[in-house]
Amino acid sequence: QVQLVESGGGSVQSGGSLRLSCAASGLTYSTYCVGWLRQAPGKGREGVATIDSSGITNYEDSVTGRFTISRDNAKKMIYLQMSSLKPEDTAMYYCAVKGLYYSGGRYFCGPNEYNYWGQGTQVTVSS
């Protein structure tokens, strides 16, 4: 059974930092695309960052330069280091995994849907 468990959320002031962690179990972790997504109150879920099995990362424009996604395949953990937090970063943050997408002769994090989700961890940034 696949399980993703997030931790590390909390309340911080604007400009502060948090590190989110996600523990994965029950899947062949290293061969998946993993990502962090968030959902703010009254808004849809949006992708924040992804990392593929080669360690290639992608970020949503608003977090580029402030957030860093990483993974430890041996420990089956993914992380989201968040710095220079802003009130607009306030949201429930989820980690998720999906199969790698194949196109142009390579595998990468593509437009396919996520297969597995964690329960989320709340991040609140006050001004």
Side-chain angles (χ1 to χ4, degrees), residues 86-99:
K86 305 175 181 179
E88 51 263 44
D89 294 318
T90 295
M92 184 71 78
Y93 283 71
Y94 301 88
C95 71
V97 297
K98 60 183 175 180

Side-chain angles (χ1 to χ4, degrees), residues 9-31:
S11 297
V12 295
Q13 290 191 325
S14 182
S17 299
L18 282 173
R19 188 196 196 204
L20 305 184
S21 299
C22 176
S25 61
L27 48 74
T28 308
Y29 181 68
S30 63
T31 62

Side-chain angles (χ1 to χ4, degrees), residues 59-71:
Y59 297 92
E60 194 270 329
D61 287 347
S62 70
V63 307
T64 298
R66 299 189 298 121
F67 290 10
T68 302
I69 187 172
S70 61
R71 61 194 285 175

Side-chain angles (χ1 to χ4, degrees), residues 84-115:
S84 302
L85 283 162
K86 305 175 181 179
E88 51 263 44
D89 294 318
T90 295
M92 184 71 78
Y93 283 71
Y94 301 88
C95 71
V97 297
K98 60 183 175 180
L100 293 171
Y101 189 80
Y102 183 77
S103 179
R106 68 182 188 95
Y107 290 93
F108 57 95
C109 291
N112 48 312
E113 295 293 321
Y114 285 96
N115 304 110

